Amino acid sequence: MDLDPELTALGALGGFFVLRTGAPPRDGLPTLAQAYAPGPPDAPSDAHEHPMTVRVRKVARSLRASEDRVAASIAHQGLAARLWSVALGCATLYGHVPDLDPRLLHWDPNGSAPDDLWLSEVRALPVEALDTVVRAGHLAPLAAVLTSRYRVSGRLLRGNAGSALASTVRMVEGWARAEGRPGVAECARALAAGLFTHPDLARTIDPATGRRRSCCLYYRLPGGGLCGDCCFDRPPGRG
């Protein structure tokens, strides 16, 4: 099935999968290419702040995070989940991947979760481009800017990316079971298996347990506990 101009099929999968198309609702929203660009850590006013600074601060305030690197990790995982969901959802439902060139994706860094994204032009790519579109096109430059600006561990960010991909597959599987479409679930699993062979994603998730091999630091938030796939059995430092 060809990609339709509004990617309407994604809506059935849930909020993380929806991708709005066309112009963003207001002027001035940055592209993800701008969000991945290097820039000074601080700026004199909100109007000139780097998009990643705006997003990390938004997450920190929403979750009462006292450490920027914790907020950066949570922001990273949320955006990674959105990108995997859009791309894998299209791959399984349409048999094509949309071109998610960061220059075509507008983002509201001060928006709520899931991240607000608008794709300015819908262009179909073959399913084989999935890794190039998401991991190489987005997750690599996203990790680079977060590591540079917030000193977040590369291993942690790779774990976030693997965890987000595994979570996306589980959501697709759940929808496929409910809709009686086992072929969609099989396709999602097969595509993810191929993605997990890349060194950036390989060994991020324990195949025997489904648990990740690094921690996203969520436990360091006020009232935060362990995620369902956490590598820890109990929060560090709590006995």
Side-chain angles (χ1 to χ4, degrees):
M1 179 169 60
D2 292 335
L3 297 179
D4 66 78
E6 296 182 352
L7 301 176
T8 53
L10 290 176
L13 293 170
F16 268 91
F17 293 83
V18 172
L19 179 58
R20 284 167 283 190
T21 60
R26 63 183 186 276
D27 294 336
L29 288 182
T31 64
L32 283 176
Q34 292 171 306
Y36 302 154
D42 297 300
S45 69
D46 287 355
H48 297 94
E49 280 185 313
H50 191 281
M52 204 55 67
T53 298
V54 175
R55 187 58 178 172
V56 171
R57 186 177 60 229
K58 168 76 174 184
V59 171
R61 288 176 175 172
S62 297
L63 299 179
R64 296 180 295 134
S66 60
E67 300 172 83
D68 283 347
R69 70 187 183 108
V70 176
S73 172
I74 303 304
H76 173 268
Q77 184 139 337
L79 187 53
R82 284 287 278 128
L83 294 163
W84 281 131
S85 295
V86 167
L88 193 65
C90 281
T92 56
L93 295 182
Y94 288 102
H96 292 82
V97 177
D99 184 353
L100 299 180
D101 187 314
R103 294 169 296 182
L104 299 176
L105 270 175
H106 285 266
W107 177 52
D108 184 357
N110 205 33
S112 58
D115 294 71
D116 291 329
L117 298 173
W118 291 264
L119 183 63
S120 59
E121 182 181 353
V122 178
R123 304 190 302 218
L125 297 175
V127 170
E128 291 76 16
L130 186 56
D131 176 78
T132 300
V133 166
V134 180
R135 184 199 56 75
H138 286 275
L139 300 186
L142 174 59
V145 72
L146 289 175
T147 299
S148 172
R149 297 175 71 83
Y150 299 103
R151 300 184 183 276
V152 187
S153 159
R155 181 170 180 266
L156 180 157
L157 296 176
R158 290 190 294 274
N160 282 357
S163 175
L165 175 55
S167 177
T168 298
V169 174
R170 288 193 294 272
M171 287 191 284
V172 173
E173 288 177 325
W175 178 85
R177 281 194 302 271
E179 297 296 320
R181 298 184 61 180
V184 171
E186 292 170 8
C187 180
R189 286 192 294 268
L191 291 172
L195 293 166
F196 273 115
T197 63
H198 191 277
D200 284 357
L201 296 173
R203 296 186 57 77
T204 57
I205 304 294
D206 185 333
T209 64
R211 295 168 68 172
R212 55 185 291 171
R213 291 189 166 104
S214 63
C215 177
C216 70
L217 304 180
Y218 181 78
Y219 77 91
R220 298 181 70 86
L221 295 172
L226 299 182
C227 302
D229 64 349
C230 188
C231 59
F232 296 124
D233 293 320
R234 61 178 63 87
R238 297 186 189 176

